[in-house]
């Protein structure tokens, strides 16, 4: 019976939250709920893909997903590098890494996003080719920075969860520190890290709502466009709809994370 | 690239920044209080397995934890301004809206971080040793008294590390207030940038101020943790 507790929580949460949001909608709109729902259905393609007739892809909610995936890629790489710095035995590496981690972790995402908007140049010239840095790219960088700190912590936590005996025996075999990490410790730590990495991704995904300030065509900025064109009476409905979109993407990740965590706890 | 902080000498800017810091601190403080109230009440509902409330709290917590606080803020802002309750100011006799941007931000911060606090406090309550609760029961405490005098005091102490993260997250999230035009630190920062175009310098300064506020909060919580520690109980 215990094995299906997450599945039950998942079904319960999905149905429960959907009903709750619908109830909110009915409470706000009363008899005109049908009209509002119809209006939302008409606007769905725009909010989901950024084009009114599903012809193209990459705006609206899909932009949030794409931004979160790109940012996660950056976070994965930089987080591991910073994490290696955090567990380094050399203070000259460890102290700056830990300082950087604390700074990134304690700063508001919005401030970093704004700072990146102004800090990153409009265009860069690499090997004679000029690349244009779009606001979306700046948003991706701005979002990756604070999450990199989370990722580094996850990496450090995972590595530290591996018993020190593994380190000692690998050293006895003549491996160097980075070799031990690469061949012995990290392969064992990855399964332990997966739930936390997923939580980090969910946090990042939820944070993509902030890119609205950079001028990217994400779901929130399109929601504002729709409100401006269709009228204020849609505002509450549209925000309920956006809440629902984020929820059905993030909630399965959260439930899956809990399930994995429980499996890991049981197996150790 | 050269950073020029000469504009900081301007008393107007200093005044704006101070006012912004004040608003941010006030927002965060009220948000933290609301967060704790919501967290304790919600965790109590789950802990006592209250028939309907348990389901409702679970649903709302899942909704709030898995959606962006920014969307929640916009949603509350529009919903509450539509309801449009207003108060009559006794001093001036003018009608002021009950749900200003400021109230909406405090509410949304309290709700979002409160939902996280519910989970934190619930796991804190679960971490209280069974023997202690059984001991209290054998002394004749009722269920509610056990909660009030045994589980909550010990459970809350156990939540301090997780709650520290939550408080820092709340302070960071409070910068969203600028997006519903509440005059917080971020808002005055954008004002200053509009005037002197020193975008980067202003942002760096604001960044540092936020980190200082968060660090200050962490230190204060550390002091509270040290002052309320019960020696010998591991909490």
């Amino acid at each position: 019976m215990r094995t299906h507790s997450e599945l039950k929580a998942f079904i319960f949460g999905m149905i429960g939250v959907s009903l709750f949001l619908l109830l909110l909608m009915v409470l706000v709109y009363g008899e005109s709920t049908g009209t509002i729902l119809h209006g939302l259905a008409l606007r769905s393609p725009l909010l989901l893909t950024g084009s009114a007739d599903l012809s193209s892809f990459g705006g609206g909610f899909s932009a949030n997903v794409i931004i979160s995936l790109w940012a996660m890629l950056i976070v994965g790489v930089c987080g591991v590098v910073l994490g290696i710095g955090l567990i380094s035995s050399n203070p000259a590496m460890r102290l700056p890494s830990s300082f950087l981690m604390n700074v990134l972790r304690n700063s508001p995402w919005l401030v970093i996003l704004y700072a990146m908007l102004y800090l990153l140049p409009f265009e860069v010239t690499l090997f004679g080719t000029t690349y244009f840095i779009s606001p979306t790219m700046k948003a991706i960088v701005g979002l990756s920075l604070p999450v990199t700190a989370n990722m580094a912590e996850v990496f450090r936590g995972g590595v530290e969860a591996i018993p020190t005996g593994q380190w000692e025996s690998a050293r006895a075999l003549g491996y160097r520190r980075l070799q031990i990490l690469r061949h012995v410790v990290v392969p064992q730590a990855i399964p332990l890290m997966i739930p936390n990495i997923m939580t980090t991704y969910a946090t990042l995904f939820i944070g993509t709502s902030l890119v609205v300030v950079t001028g990217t065509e994400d779901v929130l900025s399109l929601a504002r466009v729709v409100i401006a064109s269709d009228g204020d009476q849609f505002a509450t409905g549209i925000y309920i709809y956006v809440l629902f979109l984020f929820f059905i993407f993030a909630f399965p990740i959260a439930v899956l994370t809990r399930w994995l965590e429980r499996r890991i706890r049981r197996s150790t | 690239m050269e950073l020029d902080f000469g504009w900081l000498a301007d008393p107007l800017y200093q005044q704006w920044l101070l006012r912004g810091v004040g608003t941010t601190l006030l927002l965060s403080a009220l948000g933290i209080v609301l967060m704790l109230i919501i967290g304790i009440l919600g965790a109590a509902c789950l802990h006592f397995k209250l028939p309907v409330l348990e389901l409702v709290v679970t649903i709302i917590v899942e909704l709030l934890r898995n959606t962006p606080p920014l969307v929640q803020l916009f949603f509350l802002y529009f919903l509450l301004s539509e309801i449009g309750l207003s108060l009559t100011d006794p001093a001036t006799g003018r009608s002021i809206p009950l749900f200003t941007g400021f109230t909406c931000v405090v509410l949304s911060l309290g709700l979002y971080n409160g939902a996280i606090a519910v989970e934190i406090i619930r796991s804190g309550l679960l971490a209280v040793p069974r023997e202690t609760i059984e001991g209290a029961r054998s002394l004749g405490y009722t269920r509610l008294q056990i909660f009030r005098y045994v589980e909550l005091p010990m459970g809350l102490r156990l939540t301090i590390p997780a709650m520290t993260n939550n408080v820092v997250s709340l302070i960071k999230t409070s910068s969203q207030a600028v997006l519903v035009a509440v005059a917080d630190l971020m808002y005055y920062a954008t004002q200053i940038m509009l005037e002197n175009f020193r975008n980067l310098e202003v942002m760096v300064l604001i960044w540092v101020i936020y980190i200082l506020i968060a660090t200050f909060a962490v230190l204060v919580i550390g002091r509270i943790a040290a002052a309320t520690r019960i020696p010998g109980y591991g909490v």
Side-chain angles (χ1 to χ4, degrees), chain A:
Chain A
M1 196 177 141
R2 280 289 298 158
T3 44
H4 293 298
S5 64
E6 272 83 14
L7 187 66
K8 233 189 275 170
F10 176 69
I11 296 171
F12 171 73
M14 279 305 215
I15 297 177
V17 168
S18 309
L19 285 178
F20 177 75
L21 288 176
L22 200 65
L23 184 73
L24 265 183
M25 203 102 128
V26 173
L27 279 179
V28 174
Y29 288 114
E31 285 179 0
S32 52
T33 311
T35 341
I36 300 288
L37 281 177
H38 181 67
L40 285 180
L42 282 180
R43 288 302 191 173
S44 281
L46 180 67
L47 288 173
L48 283 172
T49 63
S51 63
D53 50 358
L54 292 171
S55 59
S56 69
F57 190 68
F61 193 65
S62 63
N64 287 69
V65 177
I66 293 169
I67 289 176
S68 72
L69 290 176
W70 276 113
M72 196 58 200
L73 195 69
I74 301 180
V75 165
V77 176
C78 300
V80 169
V81 172
L82 188 61
I84 292 176
L86 283 178
I87 55 172
S88 159
S89 55
N90 180 2
M93 279 267 282
R94 195 175 62 235
L95 295 179
S97 306
S98 123
F99 176 77
L100 184 64
M101 204 273 297
N102 279 311
V103 165
L104 289 179
R105 213 175 46 168
N106 284 338
S107 38
W109 296 30
L110 202 55
V111 175
I112 299 189
L113 264 180
Y114 269 120
M116 283 307 126
L117 276 188
Y118 304 122
L119 189 68
L120 295 178
F122 180 67
E123 52 184 25
V124 282
T125 310
L126 265 183
F127 309 116
T129 337
T130 305
Y131 296 96
F132 171 65
I133 301 187
S134 70
T136 313
M137 287 183 200
K138 293 183 178 179
I140 291 173
V141 175
L143 278 177
S144 323
L145 281 179
V147 189
T148 297
N150 295 11
M151 182 70 198
E153 271 290 274
V154 168
F155 181 82
R156 188 179 69 162
V159 168
E160 283 179 353
I162 302 299
T164 47
Q166 298 286 329
W167 283 93
E168 284 151 15
S169 26
R171 198 166 302 145
L173 292 172
Y175 284 98
R176 274 180 286 114
R177 242 188 113 76
L178 277 180
Q179 284 179 323
I180 301 177
L181 264 184
R182 159 89 182 71
H183 296 290
V184 179
V185 171
V186 170
Q188 296 183 67
I190 282 178
L192 300 179
M193 288 189 238
I194 286 178
N196 291 333
I197 293 178
M198 282 163 62
T199 310
T200 309
Y201 176 71
T203 318
L204 171 68
F205 176 72
I206 283 173
T208 57
S209 62
L210 289 173
V211 301
V212 65
V213 300
T214 61
T216 311
E217 288 222 315
D218 76 319
V219 67
L220 259 186
S221 62
L222 287 180
R224 288 175 151 188
V225 172
V226 172
I227 293 169
S229 71
D230 290 6
D232 273 349
Q233 76 272 18
F234 279 97
T236 314
I238 282 185
Y239 284 123
I240 291 180
Y241 186 63
V242 176
L243 279 177
F244 180 68
L245 284 181
F246 274 99
F247 180 79
I248 54 174
F249 195 93
F251 184 58
I253 301 178
V255 175
L256 197 61
T257 310
R258 272 178 242 163
W259 180 71
L260 280 173
E261 260 172 1
R262 191 161 55 80
R263 272 188 44 162
I264 290 171
R265 217 178 306 134
R266 210 174 35 188
S267 68
T268 47

Side-chain angles (χ1 to χ4, degrees), chain B residues 9-231:
Chain B
D10 189 328
L12 177 67
Y13 292 160
Q14 290 171 358
Q15 205 190 342
W16 280 4
L17 284 173
L18 278 181
R19 222 184 284 164
V21 171
T23 314
T24 294
L25 287 178
L26 188 61
L27 271 178
S28 310
L30 292 175
I32 290 169
V33 171
L34 190 62
M35 169 197 96
L36 285 176
I37 294 173
I38 290 176
I40 292 174
L41 289 182
C45 288
L46 296 181
H47 188 69
F48 286 116
K49 298 197 165 42
L50 300 175
V52 185
L53 280 177
E54 190 193 4
L55 293 185
V56 177
V57 170
T58 313
I59 290 176
I60 296 181
V61 166
E62 293 292 10
L63 175 66
L64 292 173
R65 275 166 52 115
N66 290 301
T67 50
L70 181 61
V71 185
Q72 292 165 18
L73 174 62
F74 282 155
F75 166 69
L76 273 178
Y77 190 65
F78 275 93
L79 180 72
L80 296 180
S81 64
E82 209 154 295
I83 298 172
L85 293 177
S86 60
L87 285 174
T88 314
D89 190 344
T92 57
R94 272 190 324 174
S95 163
I96 48 170
L98 181 57
F99 297 115
T100 54
F102 187 87
T103 351
C104 288
V105 174
V106 171
L107 277 178
S108 95
L109 286 177
L111 280 173
Y112 174 69
N113 292 89
I116 299 172
V118 168
E119 285 290 303
I120 296 176
I121 294 177
R122 197 176 73 121
S123 56
L125 291 176
L126 286 177
V128 176
R130 276 180 65 96
E131 295 79 12
T132 318
I133 298 166
E134 279 161 13
R137 194 174 301 144
S138 69
L139 285 174
Y141 280 76
T142 61
R143 189 87 203 278
L144 210 64
Q145 283 174 326
I146 294 177
F147 183 73
R148 165 73 185 78
Y149 295 109
V150 180
E151 287 177 301
L152 202 55
M154 285 184 79
L156 280 183
R157 284 177 174 85
L158 289 169
T159 62
I160 285 176
M163 205 56 103
T164 312
N165 283 339
N166 199 19
V167 166
V168 172
S169 141
L170 187 142
I171 294 169
K172 295 193 300 189
T173 316
S174 79
S175 62
Q176 289 175 3
V178 64
L179 297 174
V180 291
V182 172
D184 73 334
L185 183 53
M186 196 68 191
Y187 176 88
Y188 281 113
T190 44
Q191 291 295 309
I192 296 176
M193 288 192 297
L194 283 179
E195 286 207 359
N196 69 0
F197 302 108
R198 296 251 160 237
N199 296 333
L200 187 59
E201 287 89 337
V202 176
M203 270 305 141
V204 169
L205 179 75
I206 297 303
W207 197 341
V208 172
I209 295 180
Y210 269 110
I211 291 174
L212 287 179
I213 294 178
T215 315
F216 174 70
V218 171
L219 290 178
V220 168
I221 296 173
R223 277 296 177 81
I224 294 175
T228 56
R229 221 173 73 84
I230 312 176

